[in-house]
Amino acid sequence: MLSKEDSRRLAQLERQLRRDDPDFCARMRGDLLARRRMPLSLVLTGVVIWAAALTLGVFGWWGAAAVAAVWGTVIVAALGYRCRPGRDAIHPDLPPRIW
């Protein structure tokens, strides 16, 4: 249990944090939805795979080009699904809200 002085200091810190960064406090309470950022590594992977598919197609390796194109399409579809607008995304680091 906190002493009276510690409780007072904690309340003071909480008030200061609410005043300095209200968005952070709202996220910690679970009030705001988190924006999902597009992972750069997955974008670069998709670009590299599609470039490989095009290169393989130019050189006449149609089977390998088709496999690479399918995997590139899968990565782009996963990105589109994960980052689609209007998706209700609760911040992944926060515990789920129980109503």
Side-chain angles (χ1 to χ4, degrees), residues 2-36:
L2 295 175
S3 68
K4 196 174 222 179
E5 177 65 22
D6 289 340
S7 295
R8 185 188 65 76
R9 290 180 64 205
L10 181 61
Q12 181 183 8
L13 286 172
E14 288 175 0
R15 284 191 301 273
Q16 183 179 355
L17 183 60
R18 280 191 201 110
R19 185 179 57 241
D20 292 344
D21 197 354
D23 291 337
F24 174 77
C25 292
R27 282 193 310 270
M28 290 296 109
R29 281 193 316 264
D31 294 347
L32 294 179
L33 298 176
R35 285 185 4 196
R36 286 254 167 142

Side-chain angles (χ1 to χ4, degrees), residues 40-64:
L40 185 61
S41 61
L42 207 53
V43 171
L44 291 175
T45 302
V47 168
V48 167
I49 289 176
W50 269 101
L54 290 173
T55 304
L56 290 169
V58 166
F59 286 121
W61 294 3
W62 299 108

